[in-house]
Amino acid sequence: MSFIGQTYGAASALLAALALIGIAATLIFQAHDTKIAREEARRIAIAELLKMAMDDPALDEAWGPVPADADPKARRQLMYINMIISEWQMSFETKALPEKRLRAISREMFSGRPGRAFWEEARQVRMGTAGSRRARRFHEILDEEYHLAPVPSPGRPRPRRPWMLFAGSAVGVLAAGGVVRRAIARRRSPG
């Protein structure tokens, strides 16, 4: 009888250890999903604030001094590109935007004057403040594609292909929405 009791005791301990590992893994996944959802909410809030600043020069000044000689159109373009690249970064960090696609859309952006102007101005800050290994890799890819992108000629504007930028952003938005939706579904599911 004691042998049977010891066998059941060992099996019970093994099952309890497996259950504990399962609970720990679930908590880790939930924490990761919560972090992603919180980051997405923060980026949405910042995007809304930037949209307001793009529409109202008085609000633009609230972000810091605006140079007196700043071209309003160029400034709005830089703010918009910042929002696009932030969305790309979130999509890349959540693995919703593959590296090959990131390279294609960033090279397209850096082939235009506004994209090049943005990266020249923001490069050091963005690369210096990347907080994770994946964020650092994202910025390295952007920098590589910036250097590989053809420099636009100063006289003639290049043909616009906004659908390419939209397609890249749409993929990221849909993927980020799927991540958030999955996190909500996990919270609602029993067990």
Side-chain angles (χ1 to χ4, degrees):
M1 281 301 239
S2 69
F3 179 70
I4 294 173
Q6 289 175 351
T7 303
Y8 282 124
S12 175
L14 180 62
L15 287 175
L18 290 174
L20 186 60
I21 290 170
I23 290 170
T26 301
L27 290 175
I28 289 169
F29 286 127
Q30 284 180 342
H32 179 70
D33 287 347
T34 301
K35 179 182 175 189
I36 290 171
R38 190 172 42 241
E39 181 67 19
E40 178 65 15
R42 185 185 72 80
R43 289 182 191 216
I44 289 170
I46 289 172
E48 288 300 317
L49 293 171
L50 284 172
K51 286 178 192 174
M52 293 169 62
M54 289 168 64
D55 293 336
D56 186 347
L59 295 178
D60 187 14
E61 290 180 54
W63 285 88
V66 177
D69 62 343
D71 175 18
K73 177 184 172 185
R75 185 154 169 88
R76 289 180 69 191
Q77 287 175 335
L78 293 178
M79 293 167 80
Y80 183 68
I81 291 169
N82 185 55
M83 290 190 302
I84 291 170
I85 289 181
S86 293
E87 187 278 319
W88 288 351
Q89 182 178 352
M90 168 110 180
S91 297
F92 183 77
E93 288 179 11
T94 59
K95 299 182 181 177
L97 178 61
E99 183 175 325
K100 186 174 182 177
R101 180 73 182 132
L102 174 61
R103 287 185 178 282
I105 58 179
S106 59
R107 188 175 301 183
E108 176 71 17
M109 177 181 280
F110 294 142
S111 296
R113 283 186 208 92
R116 294 191 77 76
F118 172 82
W119 194 245
E120 288 164 9
E121 188 173 316
R123 177 185 182 276
Q124 292 297 336
V125 172
R126 287 190 74 101
M127 291 185 81
T129 58
S132 68
R133 185 171 38 106
R134 190 102 174 133
R136 285 188 295 278
R137 179 68 186 136
F138 171 81
H139 289 97
E140 288 169 2
I141 291 169
L142 287 187
D143 201 45
E144 290 168 10
E145 293 306 319
Y146 168 80
H147 291 294
L148 293 172
V151 177
S153 61
R156 186 171 40 113
R158 59 186 277 284
R160 295 181 60 173
R161 291 181 275 186
W163 61 269
M164 289 188 78
L165 295 177
F166 173 76
S169 296
V171 167
V173 168
L174 291 173
V179 169
V180 171
R181 202 171 23 256
R182 190 175 68 233
I184 291 169
R186 280 188 185 154
R187 282 197 202 111
R188 288 184 182 164
S189 67

